[in-house]
C-alpha cells in the first residue's frame, strides 16, 4: 500500500482501490497490513447487513402484495407465500456463516491448507 497525500487515503497496490486512512494508522499503533485486513472484514460485514436489509424489504413486499392480491389473510397459512423467503433465507444463512461463522469449506484456513497441499504436490513431481 502506498500513501496518496492528496486525499488522505492509502492506495492498495494490488488492485488500485483506495482505503480510508484511520487515525490509528496515522498514529502508527497498527500496521498497514492489519488495517487492510480489518478494512476488508468491515466491508464483508457491511455487505451482509445490506443483503439482510434487501432480504427483509423484498420479502415483506412480496408477502404483503400476496395478501392484498388475495383480499384475505388466509394466504398467510400457505407455503407458497414463504417460498422465496425460505430459499433466499438459506442463501442468507450461508452468507452470514461465511462472514461471522467458521465455514469449513472455502474459509481462509481451508484456502491456506489447499494452497499448501497443491504446492506440496507440485514439489513432489520434480
Amino acid at each position: 500500500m502506498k500513501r496518496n497525500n492528496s486525499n488522505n487515503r492509502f492506495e492498495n497496490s494490488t488492485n488500485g482501490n483506495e482505503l480510508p486512512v484511520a487515525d490509528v494508522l496515522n498514529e502508527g499503533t497498527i500496521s498497514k497490513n492489519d488495517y487492510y485486513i480489518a478494512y476488508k472484514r468491515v466491508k464483508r460485514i457491511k455487505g451482509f447487513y445490506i443483503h439482510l436489509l434487501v432480504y427483509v424489504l423484498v420479502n415483506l413486499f412480496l408477502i404483503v402484495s400476496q395478501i392484498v392480491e388475495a383480499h384475505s389473510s388466509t394466504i398467510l397459512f400457505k407455503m407458497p407465500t414463504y417460498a422465496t423467503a425460505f430459499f433466499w433465507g438459506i442463501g442468507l444463512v450461508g452468507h452470514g456463516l461465511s462472514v461471522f461463522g467458521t465455514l469449513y469449506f472455502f474459509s481462509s484456513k481451508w484456502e491456506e491448507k489447499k494452497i499448501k497441499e497443491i504446492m506440496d504436490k507440485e514439489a513432489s513431481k520434480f
Side-chain angles (χ1 to χ4, degrees), residues 9 12 14 27-28 34-35 39 43 47 64 74 80 100 103 110 112:
R9 296 170 92 66
N12 181 0
T14 58
E27 295 170 2
D34 290 342
Y35 176 76
Y39 177 81
K43 295 294 274 185
V64 168
T74 59
F100 299 108
L103 285 179
W110 177 85
E112 290 173 15

Side-chain angles (χ1 to χ4, degrees), residues 108-124:
S108 60
K109 287 183 182 180
W110 177 85
E111 287 176 1
E112 290 173 15
K113 181 180 174 186
K114 202 63 172 168
I115 289 169
K116 184 175 180 346
E117 179 183 312
I118 290 170
M119 289 174 61
D120 289 344
K121 188 182 285 186
E122 289 296 319
S124 67

Side-chain angles (χ1 to χ4, degrees), residues 82-96:
Y82 304 105
T84 302
F86 177 75
F87 291 110
W88 189 352
I90 292 171
L92 186 64
V93 167
H95 188 180

Side-chain angles (χ1 to χ4, degrees), residues 1-125:
M1 281 186 248
K2 61 184 178 181
R3 180 78 186 255
N4 183 346
N5 289 328
S6 63
N7 59 4
N8 201 26
R9 296 170 92 66
F10 275 93
E11 186 176 321
N12 181 0
S13 59
T14 58
N15 60 9
N17 291 340
E18 292 186 357
L19 306 173
V21 177
D23 290 335
V24 291
L25 193 56
N26 288 334
E27 295 170 2
T29 58
I30 188 170
S31 73
K32 292 176 189 175
N33 189 44
D34 290 342
Y35 176 76
Y36 180 71
I37 291 169
Y39 177 81
K40 295 300 275 183
R41 176 123 171 94
V42 168
K43 295 294 274 185
R44 291 184 67 207
I45 292 169
K46 181 181 176 183
F48 172 76
Y49 285 129
I50 290 170
H51 186 183
L52 179 63
L53 177 66
V54 170
Y55 170 83
V56 169
L57 293 176
V58 168
N59 283 296
L60 187 63
F61 172 77
L62 290 174
I63 292 169
V64 168
S65 65
Q66 288 181 6
I67 292 170
V68 169
E69 186 177 307
H71 303 295
S72 172
S73 62
T74 59
I75 193 90
L76 289 174
F77 302 107
K78 297 184 180 180
M79 180 55 190
T81 305
Y82 304 105
T84 302
F86 177 75
F87 291 110
W88 189 352
I90 292 171
L92 186 64
V93 167
H95 188 180
L97 287 174
S98 74
V99 172
F100 299 108
T102 55
L103 285 179
Y104 176 73
F105 294 105
F106 311 122
S107 68
S108 60
K109 287 183 182 180
W110 177 85
E111 287 176 1
E112 290 173 15
K113 181 180 174 186
K114 202 63 172 168
I115 289 169
K116 184 175 180 346
E117 179 183 312
I118 290 170
M119 289 174 61
D120 289 344
K121 188 182 285 186
E122 289 296 319
S124 67
K125 286 183 181 178

